[in-house]
Structure formats: structure tokens, C-alpha cells
Amino acid sequence: MPVDPIKAGRHIHALRRAQGLTQNQLGDRLHVSFQAVSKWERGETLPDVNLLPDLADALSTTVDNILNGGERPMKTPEQYTRTATIAQMREGIACFDRIGELLGKGGFFYKGAVGGAGLKMNMDMEEMLADDYLRECLISEAAIQAVMDGAYFDPEDVRSGFVHQHWADMFFEHAKKFGIE
């Protein structure tokens, strides 16, 4: 799919504003002029390929997200890289508990895993893990991330895999962009 400079530029503009950055500040971070940032945002030019990873980092997104103008292309079944289940996501989230059991909740491995995930997701992971409803939020988020990374979920598995329907609904709200409904 070809890159639409106008769409990418509008998305860069929106992401920059969401980060509370001026064109000058973003330019300074990337060692380019504010005029270069302005040209990207107007769709006159695209950022140099060597700048894209740093731009994505500065805007808290991915290179794909920038180049796709914030849109995720729909996938066909053969484009998925793997099949996943809600049970696998549940098991993955349970690994945080298992690390605490095996290595101790006071140890740096557990604190690093829980603290790092919590920091990245801007939440208190231990609080989320301790509450069944909030734990399902983590499972739904893990499933959404897996879809974004190319995983396919059978819709029936999703419908039956959650105790709280709200989290299945949240999954489907995001997954429909990837052809999973």
C-alpha cells in the first residue's frame, strides 16, 4: 500500500499535538528544522527513512502507524501470522503471578516486569492483577496487541473466553479494524 504523504502528515501533526510538542520542540529532538516538521505535516515531504524510528519514538507510536496515517489496513485470513486464543492471553497474563511466585514479589525480576508493564501502559499492574474484572482488561488488551501484531482470534473463542462481556466487546471494537468481528 503506497504511503499517502497528506494522510501521514496530518497524523504526524495530530500525534505531535497530542504529545504537547511544538514543531520547534519536535524538530530539536530529531535534529531537524521546524520547517522540515512543517513540510511533513503539510504532506509536502515525508520524513527521511533514517528519522522514522526516532520520530515514532518521539510521538509514542510506530513507524507503520505514521506511514499508514494512523490507519491499520484490513487483513485477509492468509495475512495473519498466527492464531491465538483468549486462553493463551489469560495464561500470558498469569505469568506475572508465576514470576512473583517463583522469584519472589520483592525481587527485581518481578518488580521490573510488573513495573515496566505498568509504566508502559500507565497503570498499576499489581492492582490490575489482583482484581478479576481488571485482570480481564489486561487479557483484552493483550489480545488487542496480539491482533495488532498479526494474530487471528476466532470470534467464538473471544465470545466464550471472557467472563465479563464488556472486555469481549472492547476486543471486538478494536479487532474489527483487522477483519475480526
Side-chain angles (χ1 to χ4, degrees):
M1 176 170 135
V3 175
D4 180 342
I6 300 290
K7 191 181 288 185
R10 287 181 185 147
H11 193 54
I12 290 168
H13 173 82
L15 291 169
R16 175 184 60 77
R17 300 275 312 241
Q19 293 291 321
L21 297 171
T22 65
Q23 289 179 342
N24 268 331
Q25 290 168 324
L26 181 58
D28 287 346
R29 284 189 186 182
L30 300 172
H31 307 290
V32 299
S33 67
F34 77 89
Q35 292 96 334
V37 174
S38 178
K39 285 182 179 184
W40 302 339
E41 292 183 359
R42 290 192 315 266
E44 292 178 17
T45 63
L46 287 169
D48 184 270
V49 69
N50 295 324
L51 284 177
L52 285 171
D54 292 334
L55 176 61
D57 187 51
L59 298 176
S60 298
T61 191
T62 64
V63 170
D64 280 351
N65 183 269
I66 291 170
L67 295 179
N68 289 322
E71 295 178 5
R72 288 267 182 188
M74 294 281 282
K75 288 186 180 280
T76 60
E78 60 275 357
Q79 291 175 307
Y80 291 102
T81 58
R82 66 187 176 101
T83 300
T85 66
I86 296 303
Q88 289 170 330
M89 300 300 108
R90 191 175 299 282
E91 183 180 342
I93 296 300
C95 286
F96 285 102
D97 295 322
R98 191 74 174 126
I99 292 169
E101 291 167 13
L102 294 173
L103 303 177
K105 290 194 175 186
F108 68 88
F109 283 106
Y110 175 78
K111 292 290 186 190
V114 169
L119 183 64
K120 188 71 174 170
M121 296 176 71
N122 196 26
M123 68 173 103
D124 183 337
M125 279 292 287
E126 289 184 309
E127 177 184 326
M128 301 287 285
L129 292 167
D131 180 279
D132 289 339
Y133 183 76
L134 296 177
R135 179 180 284 263
E136 283 216 329
C137 171
L138 293 174
I139 294 163
S140 182
E141 180 64 31
I144 291 165
Q145 290 297 316
V147 168
M148 292 171 68
D149 290 336
Y152 174 78
F153 286 79
D154 181 298
E156 284 307 311
D157 175 65
V158 174
R159 286 184 191 93
S160 65
F162 285 97
V163 174
H164 303 282
Q165 182 62 40
H166 172 74
W167 299 119
D169 294 344
M170 291 301 295
F171 170 85
F172 284 122
E173 183 178 322
H174 293 279
K176 70 182 174 187
K177 298 172 194 165
F178 298 91
I180 301 173
E181 297 187 66

